[in-house]
């Protein structure tokens, strides 16, 4: 049997943990993610704020003096927060309608999703999954997602008026803007170990354990420079055990990727300069 280091596949149970943003106005950004997205402030200093649900951290905001992200720079397309029910998604519709502006909404056949932008123009998705046994799949087992209209009035009617996200809310996926799909595919699939769930040329959706996607990656906006300045600082991948973490470290080393230790895990950058952290859950 191959050892974990020989297998380029992440184990079932792998998921995302936290995501972090470099921000200019820490107070305004904290208030948005509290009152609109519905996360609770768990820890706050003059330089950082950590938000999440029921003691679980999902988002870290880091104050910076860096300039706004350049239009040519790779980086974040959106952070996607997954809520556990249609009622919770209806609550999000109501919070957005009351306090903010909705940019879009879609039925993806595997999920129902709301799209908006935070005060510093970082993309945000709030979504709920449809039952996994209803996800349409190709003959090879990968998912078949689509972008269909979503009835917002029907969704809002299921709201129970909650002002905050429920305890089961997670960081469901992160969607990145890349400079070249081939480069990031080689990194996230062939080296890191995610599996392709859907490839539409200018966009790639990858996951572990058959999930519809833990990472989306696209080149829709023609980014041509590495990530820099404000916006995505890092995101975190959680693996189920120390063997999985070591296997990732080994594969990265064999591919010539520089790996650093950090509290509880490892840290490295992707081909576009985006920082990824991996630790054992």
């Amino acid at each position: 049997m191959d050892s974990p280091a020989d297998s380029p596949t992440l184990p079932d149970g792998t998921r995302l943990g936290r995501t972090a943003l470099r921000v200019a106005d820490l107070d305004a950004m904290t208030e948005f993610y509290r009152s609109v997205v519905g996360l609770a402030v768990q820890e706050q200093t003059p330089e950082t704020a950590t938000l999440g649900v029921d003691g679980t951290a999902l988002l870290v905001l880091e104050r910076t003096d860096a300039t706004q992200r350049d239009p040519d720079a790779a980086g974040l397309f959106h952070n996607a927060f997954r809520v556990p029910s249609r009622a919770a998604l209806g609550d999000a519709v109501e919070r957005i309608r009351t306090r903010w502006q909705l940019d879009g909404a879609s039925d993806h056949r595997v999920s129902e999703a709301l799209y908006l932008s935070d005060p510093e123009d970082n993309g945000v998705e709030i979504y709920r999954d449809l039952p996994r046994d209803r996800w349409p799949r190709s003959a090879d087992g990968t998912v078949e997602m689509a972008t269909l209209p979503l009835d917002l009035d029907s969704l809002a009617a299921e709201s129970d008026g909650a002002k905050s996200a429920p305890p089961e809310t997670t960081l469901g996926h992160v969607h990145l803007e890349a400079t070249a799909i081939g480069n990031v595919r080689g990194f996230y699939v062939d080296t890191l170990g995610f599996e392709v769930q859907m490839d539409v040329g200018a966009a790639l959706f990858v996951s572990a354990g058959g999930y519809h996607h833990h990472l989306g990656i696209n080149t829709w906006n023609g980014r041509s420079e590495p990530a820099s300045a404000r916006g995505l600082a890092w995101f975190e991948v959680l693996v189920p055990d120390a063997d999985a973490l070591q296997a990732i470290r080994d594969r990265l080393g064999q591919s010539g990727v520089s790996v650093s230790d950090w509290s509880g895990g490892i840290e490295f950058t992707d081909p576009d300069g985006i920082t990824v952290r991996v630790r054992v859950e």
Side-chain angles (χ1 to χ4, degrees):
M1 180 181 293
D2 289 341
S3 68
D6 295 324
S7 173
T9 302
L10 291 169
D12 292 353
T14 299
R15 64 182 185 89
L16 300 192
R18 297 170 294 173
T19 186
L21 297 173
R22 290 184 291 265
V23 306
D25 191 332
L26 182 61
D27 291 340
M29 291 286 278
T30 301
E31 178 60 19
F32 167 84
Y33 283 99
R34 187 194 67 80
S35 64
V36 179
V37 178
L39 305 181
V41 179
Q42 298 177 336
E43 184 178 345
Q44 190 162 12
T45 73
E47 300 302 320
T48 66
T50 300
L51 298 96
V53 291
D54 197 32
T56 300
L58 301 178
L59 175 69
V60 179
L61 303 176
E62 303 174 350
R63 189 192 300 275
T64 181
D65 293 328
T67 58
Q68 187 174 0
R69 175 184 167 195
D70 189 281
D72 291 330
L76 184 69
F77 191 62
H78 59 240
N79 284 317
F81 300 96
R82 180 180 62 187
V83 296
S85 67
R86 201 162 200 265
L89 194 62
D91 294 337
V93 169
E94 294 293 270
R95 290 196 302 271
I96 295 166
R97 284 176 165 177
T98 301
R99 300 180 175 89
W100 207 250
Q101 179 175 331
L102 189 67
D103 294 340
S106 296
D107 175 353
H108 292 301
R109 302 180 73 196
V110 298
S111 63
E112 294 179 320
L114 309 174
Y115 297 97
L116 59 160
S117 299
D118 73 18
E120 296 188 8
D121 207 30
N122 299 290
V124 178
E125 177 181 343
I126 305 173
Y127 76 104
R128 70 109 182 182
D129 280 335
L130 299 176
R132 194 159 177 155
D133 61 5
R134 288 172 47 191
W135 296 354
R137 293 190 179 272
S138 302
D140 63 2
T142 56
V143 298
E144 294 181 341
M145 292 181 282
T147 300
L148 306 172
L150 182 61
D151 185 341
L152 289 175
D153 291 334
S154 170
L155 186 59
E158 299 204 28
S159 169
D160 60 12
K163 304 302 181 186
S164 59
E168 301 87 353
T169 300
T170 65
L171 178 67
H173 64 267
V174 171
H175 195 143
L176 306 174
E177 293 190 297
T179 58
I181 289 292
N183 291 344
V184 290
R185 180 181 180 126
F187 180 82
Y188 284 108
V189 177
D190 300 334
T191 300
L192 197 53
F194 284 105
E195 297 175 280
V196 175
Q197 289 295 329
M198 191 168 175
D199 184 347
V200 293
L204 184 69
F205 300 89
V206 303
S207 74
Y211 190 58
H212 55 72
H213 66 296
H214 289 112
L215 290 179
I217 306 161
N218 76 69
T219 56
W220 295 329
N221 290 318
R223 308 297 185 181
S224 57
E225 300 294 331
S228 63
R230 296 204 304 258
L232 185 64
W234 49 267
F235 69 91
E236 182 180 61
V237 179
L238 304 181
V239 293
D241 54 52
D243 287 344
L245 180 64
Q246 186 61 49
I248 292 169
R249 184 194 290 271
D250 291 345
R251 291 198 298 271
L252 290 166
Q254 292 162 9
S255 298
V257 177
S258 178
V259 178
S260 300
D261 291 319
W262 69 281
S263 178
I266 59 175
E267 178 181 277
F268 46 91
T269 58
D270 79 1
D272 289 313
I274 294 169
T275 298
V276 184
R277 293 178 171 179
V278 183
R279 66 177 173 88
V280 177
E281 184 169 10

